[in-house]
Amino acid sequence: MSESATRTSPPTTRTSSPATRTHCPYCALQCSMTLTVEPTTSPTTSPTTVTGAEFPTNRGRLCRKGATSAVLLGDRPDRLTTPLIRDGAGRDGADRDAAPLREATWDEALDLVASRITALQQRHGRDAIGVFGSGSLTNEKAYTLGKFARTALRTSRIDYNGRFCMASAAKAATEVLGLDRGLPFPLTDLDAACTVLLLGSNVADTMPPFVQHLEKARSHGGLIVVDPRRSATAQLTGDDAGHQLAPAPGGDLPLLLSVAHVLLAEGLADEDYLSRRTTGLSSFRRSVADWWPERGQTLSGISAARIRWLARSLAAAARASKSGGDPVFILTGRGVEQHRDGTDTAKAAISLALLLGLPGTRHGGYGTLTGQGNGQGGREMGQKADQLPGLRSITDPADREVTARHWGIPADDLPGPGLPATQLLHTLGTEQGVKALLVHGANVVVSAPDVQRVQEGIRALDLLVVCDFFRSETAEFADVVLPVLQWAEEDGTLTNLEGRLLRRTRAVDGPEGARSELWILAELARRLGSAAPLASEPAEVFDEIRRVTAGARADYSGVAWDRLDEVAAYWPLPLDEHAPGPQEVTVSGEPVVGTPRVFTKAFGHPDGRAHLGPIHVRDPQPPSAQGLTLTTGRLMEHYQSGTQTRRVPELLGVHPVATVSVHPATAGGLRLIEGAHAELRSTSGSMQARVVFDSGLRTDTVFVPFHFAGRGAANRLTAGLLDPQSQMPEFKNTPVTLHPAPSLDGGRS
Ligand SMILES: Nc1nc2c(c(=O)[nH]1)N[C@H]1C(S)=C(S)[C@@H](COP(=O)(O)OP(=O)(O)OC[C@H]3O[C@@H](n4cnc5c(=O)[nH]c(N)nc54)[C@H](O)[C@@H]3O)O[C@H]1N2
Ligand SMILES: Nc1nc2c(c(=O)[nH]1)N[C@H]1C(S)=C(S)[C@@H](COP(=O)(O)OP(=O)(O)OC[C@H]3O[C@@H](n4cnc5c(=O)[nH]c(N)nc54)[C@H](O)[C@@H]3O)O[C@H]1N2
Ligand code: SF4
Ligand SMILES: [Mo]
C-alpha cells in the first residue's frame, strides 16, 4: 500500500535550492513530491529529503520507490561521471569483452562517436545507424532524439521501449476512438465510479497511490479485477469490495468477446448511444455472433455463468448510471496488452465500453493505464518508427511537409518509417540490421524479449553507444558510455497518464562530469554537420515543441513553460483556447486549460464517431493445450529492468533476487520446494529463480518479475512473438517447463 512518506537520503547531493516541488522519476502517475536539501556544513554534499506533495493523482502519497528515489541522486560511487570508451571500438568484429571501458574526455568520446557514425554511414548507408529511445525521457529529450535521428543521422531506424509497453493500446485507441490519449479524462473522474473493471492491471503494486481513486467503487462492491493471479489489486476485491476473474494468460480476448456477445444477444447494449456515436456495429456484431459464453469458457477458463454475470452486471451499472447513478469505467493494463493479440484485446475492451454507451459521456469511459513516467508524451514526440512530433505520421505527405518546414529542411530529406523495436533489436549487426545503435533510456539486454538474441546482436555491432546515469547491464556491452544528468538534476516536461503536461523542476546539482542529454545530442548534431541545429535548453526545446505540434493531434501549443506549475494543462492544447480556458478547477484548486475530457463532443475520427469493427481470435487455443504458462510482470519494490531500484538497499532488501510464483499444487507435482531454486525452460532459453508458493495463482500459470538480470532475467524465456497490428512483443504468455535447480544465481547484479 501507499505511504505518506518522508525520507532522507545519504549526503550525496549539493544544494541548488532548499525545497523544490517536482515529480517522481518513475511511473506515469507522476506523483508530486517536495525535495528538500538539508542544511549542512559541507560545501559539496547535503542529504535530500523526499516528501509527498498534494497533487490530484497522488494526493500527498508516494509509493516506496518514489519515497526512496533521492537516494540515487548526485555523486554516488556507482554513478557515471565521465565518458567511457572501449579501445578498439569501431573495428569490425572487435571483441568487446577483451578491452575494458576506460575514462575519456567529452571531446574524445563525442568525436569518436561522430567519426564512427560518419564512416559507417559512408560504407553502409544512412540506415546503418539505429536509435533506441524511451518513455522515461522528458518531452524535450524524446522530441530532440527524434529530430536528431531524422535530421542529423537521417536514419529511419528509430524506435523506443514504448513499443514494449503502450503500442497495442495506442493502436487500438487510434483505430476505434480516433485518438491515442491513455486516459481521455482526468484520473479523479474515477473517484465517483461505482464500478471499475480493471483488465490486467495491478495498480496496487504498480501505482500504489492510484488505489485511492478506487475507494468508492470498492465501497459499492464494484471493483472487478481480471488477472490470472491474486495480485495485490485482486486482493482489494476481498471483503465484498468486488470480484476477481482469473482467466488463463491469453484468455482475455475470448472472454471479452463473449461478454460483448451476451450484451448484444440479451439486448443489453445502449442502442441509442451506438447509433448516435459509433459506426460499424453490424460488422462487430457479426464477429461476436458465435462467441456464446460456453465457447468463451473453453478458451478463457472463465465459466459461462461468470461471463453472463459480468455482462449483466456491467449493463446494470451502466443503465443505473444513466438514471442518475455513478459512472462505470473499463481500464486496461499490460496484463491484457502484452500479447500477440493485445491490440485486438484492447479493441475488445473499448468496444465493450462503447456497447455500454460510456466513452465521451458523464457515465464513465475507457482508458489504458500508461506505465512509464513519460510513456504518454514519449509516444507522441516522434521517437516512434512511424511518427513525427504531435502524433503526426511519417508517411503522410502533409504531416511530413509541416514538420520539415519547422525543421528547415526539404520534406524529401526526411526518412520514411523505420523498424519497430523488437525487429530493430533482433536484426542488430545482420545484413538487414543496423551496424551501430545509440541507446537512450532503456536497458535492452534485460527488458527486451529473447535477450540472448539481443546480446548476440549487440556483440555483432560495430558501435554501441549508451547514455545512462548508471552502468546498466546494457552499458556493460557498450563501446562508448555517455554519463547523463537525471530527473531532479535537470528541468523538463512530462505528460502523465491523463495526458496532463507537468514540469519536473531541477532541485539539485548533478555530479561534475555528467551532461544533459540535450547538450550531447546538440553536440553530436553539430559534429555531424546537421542542417537542423538542435537547441540544448529545455525551455527552448519546449517552445519549439509548441510551435511544431500546433495544429497536430497532440497539440501542445497552448501552454507556456512558465505556466505549467499554475495550471492543469491537458492536451490537445490549441493556442486559441489557451487564454480563458474552460471554467474548471481541479480538485487541487488549479485552473484547467486544454482538454481534460477529449471525447465529450466527438471522437477523434473525421466523422466524429467511434469506429467499431470486426474482431477475430486468430489462433484459438484452449489453456490446457499449453501445459504450464509463464506470465511476467512487476513487483512493487522494483522498477523495470532494475537499474535504478536494485541500487536502493531498502528496495533490494525486500526483493533481492528473481522469484517464480507457483501454485503449491503445481509445485508439489514438480518436486519444487518453497524457497529452493527452480530452473525455467522455454524454446528461447532458461533462467533460474527462487520458488515462492502462491495459492492465489492459477495452477496452469507461473509468474516471474522481469526486474532481474543475468540468469535471473525473465526475458531469457520470452520469444519475441509480435502482435502483427502493433509490433508489440508477447511478454505474458510463454509455454515453459519448471525443474528443481541445484543452486541459485538469481541475477543479483
Ligand atoms: N513497481 C513498479 N511499478 C511500475 C513499473 C515497475 O516496473 N515497477 N513499471 C511502470 C510501467 S512502464 C508499466 S507499463 C506499468 C505496468 O503496470 P501493470 O500493467 O499493472 O503491470 P504488470 O505487472 O506488468 O501486469 C499487471 C497484471 O497483469 C497480470 N497478467 C499477466 N498476464 C495476464 C493475462 O494474460 N491476462 C490478464 N488479465 N492479466 C494478466 C499480472 O498478473 C499482473 O498482476 O507499471 C508502471 N509502474
Ligand atoms: N518480461 C517482461 N519484459 C518487459 C515487460 C514485462 O512486463 N515483462 N514490460 C515492458 C515494459 S512495459 C517496459 S516500459 C520496458 C521497460 O524496460 P526498459 O526499456 O529497459 O526501461 P528501464 O528499465 O526503465 O531502463 C531505463 C534505463 O534508462 C536509464 N534512464 C532513465 N532515465 C533516463 C534518461 O532520462 N536518459 C537516459 N539516457 N537514461 C535514462 C535508467 O538508468 C535505466 O538504465 O520493459 C518491457 N519488458
Ligand atoms: S506511484 Fe509511481 S509516480 Fe508515484 S511515487 Fe510510486 S513510482 Fe513514483
Ligand atoms: Mo511500460
Side-chain angles (χ1 to χ4, degrees), residues 161-162 164-166 334 338 369-372 375 634 639-640 706:
N161 65 9
F164 299 160
C165 182
M166 300 312 301
R334 300 310 82 74
Q338 287 172 326
L369 298 172
T370 296
Q372 297 181 88
R634 291 157 169 85
Y639 191 66
Q640 316 274 60
F706 78 104

Side-chain angles (χ1 to χ4, degrees), residues 10-236:
T12 49
T13 53
R14 281 170 297 131
T15 156
S16 288
S17 72
T20 312
R21 257 301 269 283
T22 192
H23 292 269
C24 177
Y26 301 120
C27 86
L29 201 59
Q30 280 302 292
C31 298
S32 181
M33 49 173 61
T34 304
L35 294 187
T36 311
V37 181
E38 300 297 322
T40 173
T41 48
S42 159
T44 53
T45 61
S46 171
T48 305
T49 300
V50 183
T51 317
E54 199 48 44
F55 190 68
T57 64
N58 65 308
R59 299 200 173 122
R61 299 217 180 156
L62 299 173
C63 79
R64 226 166 161 171
K65 297 184 301 302
T68 53
S69 53
V71 167
L72 299 177
L73 288 169
D75 206 352
R76 296 161 47 99
D78 56 354
R79 185 71 191 269
L80 290 168
T81 55
T82 181
L84 303 173
I85 287 179
R86 196 184 303 281
D87 285 317
R91 266 184 284 113
D92 287 355
D95 184 0
R96 284 190 172 73
D97 301 330
L101 286 162
R102 67 157 172 91
E103 296 191 351
T105 64
W106 274 101
D107 274 337
E108 186 187 7
L110 294 173
D111 287 345
L112 175 72
V113 174
S115 67
R116 288 301 304 153
I117 286 174
T118 307
L120 286 168
Q121 287 192 317
Q122 274 165 2
R123 187 149 157 224
H124 303 285
R126 295 205 175 94
D127 276 356
I129 314 299
V131 178
F132 200 93
S134 168
S136 284
L137 304 178
T138 60
N139 286 321
E140 295 72 33
K141 293 190 207 178
Y143 168 85
T144 305
L145 193 65
K147 183 177 175 186
F148 171 77
R150 269 70 176 249
T151 62
L153 299 173
R154 295 183 61 190
T155 180
S156 71
R157 299 290 203 255
I158 173 168
D159 210 51
Y160 80 125
N161 65 9
R163 188 72 70 174
F164 299 160
C165 182
M166 300 312 301
S168 288
K171 179 81 177 174
T174 306
E175 286 200 0
V176 184
L177 302 173
L179 187 75
D180 163 31
R181 204 183 87 181
L183 289 183
F185 44 78
L187 183 55
T188 44
D189 282 8
L190 292 184
D191 294 338
C194 64
T195 303
V196 177
L197 174 62
L198 270 178
L199 296 161
S201 158
N202 181 18
V203 282
D205 277 337
T206 55
M207 302 185 171
F210 184 110
V211 303
Q212 298 172 89
H213 303 286
L214 300 173
E215 263 159 33
K216 182 159 175 194
R218 291 180 66 212
S219 71
H220 285 65
L223 177 64
I224 307 171
V225 175
V226 178
D227 196 312
R229 213 165 52 101
R230 189 115 181 119
S231 65
T233 310
Q235 288 171 34
L236 294 177

Side-chain angles (χ1 to χ4, degrees), residues 539-557:
E540 211 183 319
V541 179
F542 184 74
D543 275 348
E544 185 175 323
I545 291 172
R546 292 180 60 197
R547 288 195 298 279
V548 174
T549 61
R553 275 181 295 165
D555 186 337
Y556 280 31
S557 63

Side-chain angles (χ1 to χ4, degrees), residues 197-201 224-229 244-260 288 291 295-302 307 310 330-350 352 615-617 621 623 629 631 698 701 730 732-733:
L197 174 62
L198 270 178
L199 296 161
S201 158
I224 307 171
V225 175
V226 178
D227 196 312
R229 213 165 52 101
Q244 180 193 359
L245 278 70
D252 302 284
L253 181 55
L255 169 69
L256 294 176
L257 295 181
S258 286
V259 172
V288 298
W291 278 104
R295 187 167 171 227
Q297 169 177 323
T298 314
L299 294 185
S300 68
I302 302 293
I307 291 172
L310 179 58
I330 298 179
L331 303 173
T332 57
R334 300 310 82 74
V336 296
E337 295 164 6
Q338 287 172 326
H339 289 274
R340 75 196 92 154
D341 58 7
T343 304
D344 280 334
T345 306
K347 279 187 194 167
I350 302 173
L352 206 57
I615 303 176
H616 299 287
V617 178
Q621 274 188 20
T629 299
T631 191
R698 287 177 61 97
T701 305
E730 179 155 78
K732 287 184 160 57
N733 186 1

